[in-house]
Amino acid sequence: MPRFYFDLSMSASTNRDEVGSEVDSLHMAEIDALRIAGELTRDRFLLWQDATSEDIRVEVKDEQQQPVFTVTVSIQVERAGLRPPYVM
């Protein structure tokens, strides 16, 4: 079974996957990367104190640590006028 590495980036923070995971196929690695990106996005919204723009990235590498693909979720806040941010 091939091993893939899932490096996570959010804002200025990066978490490199040094161990990797055995995954059935490249297609399953892509599904895992999409799931991870979705979970990071959900967690970011739950913890969001300041509404800022950022990208959440999951870079997937193969057994030789070569990039295979990247999943990116972009969060953009665009305020019209000078309204204060909503308080939740």
Side-chain angles (χ1 to χ4, degrees), residues 54-65:
E54 66 183 319
D55 288 342
I56 295 171
R57 297 171 39 95
V58 179
E59 182 178 30
V60 179
K61 297 178 181 174
D62 63 15
E63 292 173 330
Q64 291 76 39
Q65 297 279 338

Side-chain angles (χ1 to χ4, degrees), residues 30-69:
E30 185 174 335
I31 290 171
D32 285 349
L34 289 165
R35 178 187 51 77
I36 292 167
E39 289 173 359
L40 286 172
T41 302
R42 181 198 64 220
D43 292 348
R44 184 66 180 123
F45 280 128
L46 292 174
L47 299 173
W48 210 339
Q49 298 298 318
D50 296 319
T52 59
S53 299
E54 66 183 319
D55 288 342
I56 295 171
R57 297 171 39 95
V58 179
E59 182 178 30
V60 179
K61 297 178 181 174
D62 63 15
E63 292 173 330
Q64 291 76 39
Q65 297 279 338
Q66 296 301 307
V68 180
F69 60 86

